[in-house]
Amino acid sequence: MSWEAVLTLAVVVGVLLALALSTIAADLILMAALLTLLVSGVLTANEAFAGFGNTGLMTIAALYIVAAGLRETGAVQCIARTVLGQPKTIQGAQWRLLLPSAGLSAFLNNTTVVAMFMPAVQDWCQRLKLPPSKLLLPLSYAAILGGTCTLIGTSTNLVVNGLLQKTGHAGLGMFDITLVGLAVLITGAGFILLLGNRLLPSSSGVIESPEQIREYHVEMVVQEGGILVGKTVAAAGLSQLGYGYLAEIERGNELIQSPDAEFVLQANDLLAFIGAPRCAHELRSIEGLRPANDDIHKLGIVHYRRRLVEAVLSEEFPFLGMTLRECDFLSNYQAVVLSVSRGGTKLADKGLNVRLQAGDTLLMEAGKDFANQYRFRKDFMLVSALDNSSPPNFAKAKLALGILAVMVVLSALEIIPILEAAWLAAGVMLLTRCLNAGLARRSIDFTVLTVIGASFALGEAMTKTGAAQWIAQSVMEFGVESPLVALSLVYIMTSLFTEVITNNAAAALMFPIATSLASQFGVDIVPFAIAIMFAASASFMTPIGYQTNLMVYGPGGYRVSDYLKVGTPLNIMIGVVTISMIAWIWSLS
């Protein structure tokens, strides 16, 4: 081997060890490796940074914006609330969770899907008295499995497809991997449904206790002509809220205390809820309800710049002894009070018509800068904004879903490439104001894009220096005499790498080795590329192997041993099914 090949292998080994054993951020490690190869002369500047212009990477960036548009319009929340329902058993809950999360992950980034479903699942568990540990890890696994069903389901698929195109191949279509993906999804879902309940722990996870948080009375009105008119309290999702409960309904001059779950809602019903601060955001996220305080429509702030804010009145508050209406709170503070809390005291009229006292806590909807603007003013002793509490813009939910559908159709029918379809969808999301430019910028995870772009440089160095060829020849010398055995070895190596380093880095490192092996046997590179796609995504054995696994680690109250107990047999099953399907479709033996 040349010194360039030796240095490249040393850099790759160093990257693997650093990612597996250190706490240094993955993007810093990969960029340090890229600069080492650049400064040493192994790669030219164009070769080192070519990965940042890769079509797969740019497609991922566009899909972040598309997913943000769906989130901001409440489209995914509507789907989640509709499909999750009210199951009675753990297995029933898992079944209801697997299908929508896997289905959405086939077309959206699976990290985004898990992030959007997690709060709904936690609320669900709290309402139905189910242990979150039985559902959060299956949510992560379902998102991973669903992402293998289409080309845009995971960033890894797009990364590998980009590498495939660099070899001169035309690239894969939207559904070219779907047959293998469906077989993998059915296998994984069957395992979770049949054995998941036995293998998963019964842990309560991290759920905020209602006794430890402030309690508010919040009033909402059933919108005339809205989707909740004619529905029962249960069907509207109001009988088992995650952060509060429906205390009473006022209809004309009639007051219904503790309404039954089968009570049918009518237009303009006034609903009174009691719950934690987050209950107000939960209610604002239900299409068909609006705050009873009509001032909400006079608040001249677009939905994505609004936040829920809590503020404790100080002795210096200038309107003590006055009601909210008397002090014209909206004009003076550009905020709308949804409820007032006074310790454990039950306030009449939900606190909105009481005379304010020092120490009262106001729950408000205000602009995102309210907390910073008033944090050090004498009017309030404490001001705190609730994270991620912007109300969704439901008016554009159907439009956002339509944009997603058109993107999928354009790509699936090969009318335009997926890169162009994704950026067209992102652009239409912005033009139709499903989200604004600031949110679009913040939605792009530049850390992930940096890792992917820098990983390409390592793969390029392995190909250019002959290091990948050397590894392939070494594998051949160990008695690998058939393409099927070589394919299996590539799958196993990728699967092991992805458990300790990022899945995209594992795919980028293994691709040149797979290319060399395919060349040695004189077979098509495509089955090897697809094996890398699935192996890099099939990370179930450790919390650090895949970002979604790490996302549910704390909230589910899991231990590393739980991942090993559930993920090891699942990894083996998925590997066997994937290799068998690829061998059958491409006639490898």
Side-chain angles (χ1 to χ4, degrees):
M1 285 193 297
S2 64
W3 71 266
E4 291 93 343
V6 173
L7 177 61
T8 298
L9 288 175
V11 169
V12 169
V13 171
V15 166
L16 292 174
L17 292 175
L19 288 172
L21 303 177
S22 77
T23 57
I24 303 172
D27 56 333
L28 297 180
I29 293 171
L30 269 299
M31 282 304 297
L34 181 152
L35 291 173
T36 300
L37 295 171
L38 176 63
V39 173
S40 64
V42 173
L43 295 177
T44 65
N46 287 338
E47 290 168 338
F49 294 102
F52 292 96
N54 183 273
T55 56
L57 184 144
M58 295 308 297
T59 303
I60 294 164
L63 291 175
Y64 276 126
I65 298 174
V66 174
L70 292 167
R71 182 177 63 250
E72 287 300 312
T73 58
V76 174
Q77 293 94 316
C78 290
I79 295 172
R81 187 171 291 276
T82 302
V83 299
L84 292 182
Q86 308 286 329
K88 304 297 182 184
T89 64
I90 295 286
Q91 197 170 47
Q94 289 173 342
W95 174 253
R96 282 180 174 269
L97 182 63
L98 287 172
L99 288 178
S101 55
L104 281 172
S105 290
F107 302 103
L108 293 175
N109 180 278
N110 42 30
T111 304
T112 301
V113 171
V114 171
M116 289 187 287
F117 264 90
M118 266 183 62
V121 171
Q122 288 176 294
D123 296 347
W124 207 32
C125 292
Q126 196 167 341
R127 294 198 308 264
L128 304 178
K129 312 303 180 193
L130 300 175
S133 59
K134 297 288 187 181
L135 295 175
L136 288 177
L137 195 54
L139 169 64
S140 173
Y141 288 172
I144 293 171
L145 294 168
T148 64
C149 291
T150 68
L151 184 64
I152 65 170
T154 72
S155 59
T156 307
N157 294 352
L158 293 166
V159 166
V160 175
N161 191 53
L163 291 169
L164 189 61
Q165 290 173 328
K166 280 187 66 177
T167 66
H169 193 280
L172 298 172
M174 173 74 82
F175 299 110
D176 284 354
I177 62 172
T178 300
L179 191 58
V180 181
L182 287 176
V184 164
L185 175 59
I186 292 169
T187 301
F191 174 83
I192 293 169
L193 290 171
L194 294 175
L195 299 176
N197 193 25
R198 298 177 185 178
L199 297 176
L200 289 164
S202 293
S203 171
S204 60
V206 182
I207 295 180
E208 198 173 20
S209 172
E211 290 79 12
Q212 298 174 345
I213 49 185
R214 287 166 300 286
E215 193 174 78
Y216 292 96
H217 292 64
V218 181
E219 287 187 335
M220 305 292 286
V221 174
V222 177
Q223 287 182 333
E224 194 168 350
I227 64 171
L228 299 187
V229 176
K231 285 189 175 182
T232 64
V233 169
L238 302 176
S239 60
Q240 292 180 309
L241 294 168
Y243 296 93
Y245 63 91
L246 178 58
E248 61 188 34
I249 297 177
E250 185 177 328
R251 178 178 293 169
N253 296 322
E254 183 182 5
L255 187 66
I256 301 97
Q257 299 278 356
S258 302
D260 186 80
E262 298 306 312
F263 184 87
V264 178
L265 300 173
Q266 293 182 9
N268 300 314
D269 280 350
L270 183 65
L271 315 181
F273 298 87
I274 298 177
R278 186 62 66 175
C279 179
H281 179 247
E282 187 177 13
L283 295 171
R284 289 287 272 137
S285 299
I286 298 176
E287 188 176 5
L289 290 181
R290 63 171 176 82
N293 190 340
D294 289 331
D295 283 348
I296 202 77
H297 305 296
K298 302 174 186 176
L299 185 61
I301 303 173
V302 292
H303 76 281
Y304 53 79
R305 296 184 64 85
R306 296 186 184 191
R307 299 289 185 274
L308 287 179
V309 179
E310 288 186 282
V312 181
L313 301 184
S314 73
E315 295 283 357
E316 303 293 328
F317 184 71
F319 304 110
L320 294 179
M322 301 173 66
T323 66
L324 292 166
R325 193 174 300 278
E326 288 171 349
C327 71
D328 196 6
F329 195 91
L330 174 61
S331 296
N332 284 291
Y333 294 96
Q334 289 75 54
V336 175
V337 178
L338 301 177
S339 183
V340 180
S341 175
R342 184 176 292 166
T345 306
K346 185 175 181 180
L347 300 176
D349 297 320
K350 288 64 191 173
L352 295 180
N353 291 311
V354 300
R355 300 200 173 274
L356 299 173
Q357 298 178 8
D360 285 351
T361 304
L362 310 184
L363 180 63
M364 303 174 285
E365 188 165 310
K368 68 174 186 176
D369 298 324
F370 183 94
N372 292 330
Q373 185 178 353
Y374 287 96
R375 183 165 286 141
F376 302 107
R377 291 271 294 269
K378 293 182 179 180
D379 301 39
F380 306 105
M381 289 189 289
L382 178 68
V383 181
S384 174
L386 275 68
D387 293 333
N388 301 317
S389 58
S390 299
N393 185 10
F394 287 116
K396 303 210 170 175
K398 291 181 180 177
L399 174 61
L401 287 172
I403 293 170
L404 174 67
V406 171
M407 181 194 78
V408 172
V409 170
L410 289 175
S411 177
L413 298 180
E414 299 183 359
I415 297 172
I416 57 176
I418 179 59
L419 172 67
E420 296 172 20
W423 277 106
L424 180 62
V428 175
M429 286 278 190
L430 285 165
L431 288 173
T432 56
R433 302 189 68 80
C434 290
L435 78 167
N436 69 338
L439 283 170
R441 293 189 195 97
R442 292 194 296 274
S443 68
I444 299 174
D445 193 331
F446 289 100
T447 299
V448 172
L449 297 184
T450 301
V451 168
I452 294 170
S455 297
F456 283 145
L458 295 185
E460 176 64 25
M462 291 183 69
T463 302
K464 180 181 178 181
T465 62
Q469 181 72 13
W470 177 82
I471 293 173
Q473 289 175 345
S474 300
V475 169
M476 297 284 286
E477 291 173 3
F478 277 99
V480 177
E481 298 179 352
S482 73
L484 180 57
V485 175
L487 181 79
S488 303
L489 193 59
V490 166
Y491 185 95
I492 292 168
M493 290 174 65
T494 308
S495 183
L496 291 175
F497 278 163
T498 202
E499 294 293 350
V500 293
I501 65 175
T502 68
N503 53 331
N504 290 316
L509 289 174
M510 284 302 302
F511 188 84
I513 298 172
T515 303
S516 296
L517 282 170
S519 178
Q520 294 273 357
F521 285 104
V523 296
D524 190 0
I525 182 59
V526 171
F528 285 82
I530 292 176
I532 291 174
M533 285 182 181
F534 281 81
S537 294
S539 177
F540 307 110
M541 294 194 300
T542 65
I544 63 171
Y546 208 93
Q547 191 169 355
T548 58
N549 289 348
L550 195 58
M551 288 169 67
V552 302
Y553 182 69
Y558 297 111
R559 295 177 295 179
V560 174
S561 59
D562 296 323
Y563 287 81
L564 289 171
K565 184 165 57 176
V566 183
T568 302
L570 184 57
N571 254 28
I572 294 170
M573 289 175 62
I574 295 301
V576 171
V577 170
T578 302
I579 294 168
S580 300
M581 288 296 295
I582 292 174
W584 172 62
I585 294 170
W586 277 272
S587 302
L588 295 179
S589 60

